[in-house]
Amino acid sequence: MTLKTKYRLLLFTAIVSVPIVLLGISVAMSIIYEFAFKTRNKGTPFHESFAYPTMLIVFFLSLCLLAFLFSKSINSLLTKINMLNKTIRDLASNESTPSTLEVGSEDEIGELIQSVNILIERTTYRELELKQQQELQKELLQKLRHDINTPLTAIRLQLFYLEDYYKEQPKLVESLNEQIQYIASLTNEFNLQTLDTMENSYIVTEEVQLTTLLETMIKKWSYLYRMHNIELIFHSEDAHLTWTSNELWLQRMFDNVFQNTLKHSKATKLEITIKDSKVFMIDNGTGFEQNRESGGLGLKIIDDIARILQVTYALHTNEDGTSFCFSIST
């Protein structure tokens, strides 16, 4: 029922109910006085007896009760509006993203709440994606700085020993030192997002809590999946499963599974399960030719990251869907 219909009905009910209630109270009080109190009151007419002011008091109380009942509907609307106002302000602030709201009606307010929920999910996706990209860039940049500064330090040391041979050309030594310092400064400006650096650099391992990681990723991807009418289902039979790996690159690997399902699978459901120390990601899409020569970029990235992190994965695909099974040796 729309708000317009709801409040038209409420207004009509108020207009009709007030005279009916007043007339009903008047008739009821007259009948009660006529049969119960008139003989005791020596035949005094109703409008001159104590029953008349009593009836007026009952009129007033009944009108107050009607006003309270009708105002409950208005208060319910105002409560929802205030809730939406607070949620949007929280979303616009620098604090954490608010949780999605419960949709309790099918009217315009319910549609507005659904729209705010979509905005919350999109903001959550954007913030988590940005945070992940920033962490990835930070990690790669730190590795690149380390890899560049190490040979620069060696060059400085070698230049120190060569200074005796270039005493007559101090400007040349000074120029070389300036160039080395310039190259070192440039490392602070690099913005690298490719996988190539990871191949030739070290990986910092840590204890990664898989349930927490996947819950965060599902929260991030739920917006896009909802926009494409794909259901996300998560089960965890081992809530405390941990892998000794790199959380950031595990996210990148799982991200590509989410991305492939969203873009290419034509699925209506993706089910993620943690079971027997493994992570299963299964969709009900159309599948693809696993042995084709030109595999997708997403599958190549999954394969590269899995190899570097020493994660074992099995891929099965057919016309009924695609399934990934990830595990790690302990």
Side-chain angles (χ1 to χ4, degrees):
M1 183 185 298
T2 64
L3 283 177
K4 181 185 291 187
T5 303
K6 182 184 295 185
Y7 284 99
R8 278 179 176 174
L9 180 61
L10 183 65
L11 179 61
F12 176 77
T13 304
I15 294 173
V16 172
S17 62
V18 171
I20 291 178
V21 168
L22 295 181
L23 180 61
I25 292 173
S26 175
V27 173
M29 291 292 294
S30 299
I31 293 174
I32 292 173
Y33 177 77
E34 188 71 27
F35 289 97
F37 297 102
K38 189 172 184 179
T39 55
R40 299 181 186 178
N41 215 20
K42 300 179 181 179
T44 303
F46 174 75
H47 63 277
E48 296 179 1
S49 68
F50 69 90
Y52 187 75
T54 303
M55 182 188 68
L56 296 178
I57 294 174
V58 174
F59 279 169
F60 176 76
L61 294 177
S62 63
L63 291 175
C64 290
L65 179 60
L66 288 174
F68 173 77
L69 293 176
F70 291 135
S71 68
K72 291 288 289 184
S73 179
I74 304 296
N75 288 335
S76 175
L77 177 62
L78 292 177
T79 299
K80 292 178 181 178
I81 292 175
N82 290 332
M83 177 185 65
L84 286 170
N85 180 49
K86 182 179 182 301
T87 300
I88 293 174
R89 287 182 177 274
D90 290 342
L91 189 62
S93 68
N94 294 325
E95 300 176 358
S96 59
T97 306
S99 302
T100 54
L101 305 173
E102 182 180 355
V103 181
S105 59
E106 300 296 330
D107 54 18
E108 289 86 349
I109 293 295
E111 293 177 357
L112 180 58
I113 292 175
Q114 289 179 347
S115 299
V116 172
N117 285 341
I118 293 173
L119 181 61
I120 291 172
E121 290 172 351
R122 177 172 181 174
T123 303
T124 301
Y125 171 80
R126 297 296 185 191
E127 288 185 352
L128 291 173
E129 183 72 11
L130 178 61
K131 181 180 178 182
Q132 184 176 336
Q133 290 291 343
Q134 289 174 341
E135 290 175 351
L136 177 63
Q137 291 176 9
K138 182 179 178 182
E139 180 175 328
L140 290 176
L141 185 58
Q142 287 175 344
K143 294 173 185 176
L144 186 60
R145 287 172 180 169
H146 176 271
D147 293 340
I148 291 178
N149 284 325
T150 298
L152 287 179
T153 302
I155 292 173
R156 281 198 181 101
L157 183 60
Q158 292 171 358
L159 192 61
F160 172 77
Y161 288 113
L162 290 174
E163 280 187 292
D164 291 337
Y165 295 97
Y166 293 95
K167 288 182 179 179
E168 297 179 357
Q169 295 179 313
K171 291 186 177 180
L172 175 61
V173 175
E174 182 180 351
S175 176
L176 289 173
N177 273 313
E178 289 177 354
Q179 294 301 319
I180 292 171
Q181 182 59 42
Y182 176 68
I183 294 173
S185 299
L186 281 178
T187 61
N188 296 325
E189 304 297 329
F190 288 149
N191 182 15
L192 193 61
Q193 299 187 40
T194 66
L195 195 65
D196 300 334
T197 304
M198 188 181 176
E199 292 280 357
N200 300 313
S201 189
Y202 54 87
I203 301 295
V204 178
T205 59
E206 57 190 343
E207 292 293 323
V208 182
Q209 221 288 334
L210 266 298
T211 298
T212 302
L213 173 65
L214 288 170
E215 285 177 345
T216 301
M217 296 190 68
I218 289 171
K219 185 178 181 181
K220 179 181 79 172
W221 282 96
S222 61
Y223 160 70
L224 290 177
Y225 271 63
R226 181 174 178 178
M227 292 296 96
H228 289 79
N229 296 317
I230 302 176
E231 183 181 8
L232 270 175
I233 302 173
F234 178 58
H235 303 288
S236 179
E237 297 185 8
D238 186 358
H240 304 289
L241 175 63
T242 58
W243 286 358
T244 302
S245 186
N246 183 282
E247 180 175 349
L248 182 61
W249 288 101
L250 282 177
Q251 287 186 51
R252 300 300 296 174
M253 182 176 68
F254 292 141
D255 270 341
N256 280 278
V257 180
F258 281 102
Q259 181 81 357
N260 286 348
T261 301
L262 182 69
K263 297 292 185 181
H264 309 298
S265 70
K266 299 181 181 178
T268 59
K269 179 176 67 175
L270 174 63
E271 187 170 357
I272 301 101
T273 304
I274 298 177
K275 181 181 179 182
D276 299 329
S277 300
K278 299 178 182 179
V279 175
F280 299 88
M281 305 181 76
I282 304 171
D283 68 53
N284 62 347
T286 57
F288 57 92
E289 291 185 31
Q290 187 173 349
N291 296 323
R292 63 186 179 185
E293 293 183 1
S294 58
L297 179 61
L299 290 177
K300 184 180 183 304
I301 293 174
I302 293 171
D303 187 69
D304 289 340
I305 297 178
R307 173 170 45 81
I308 293 167
L309 296 181
Q310 297 182 348
V311 173
T312 303
Y313 82 95
L315 169 61
H316 299 284
T317 180
N318 54 41
E319 65 276 5
D320 296 323
T322 302
S323 67
F324 287 87
C325 175
F326 297 94
S327 62
I328 193 168
S329 57
T330 56

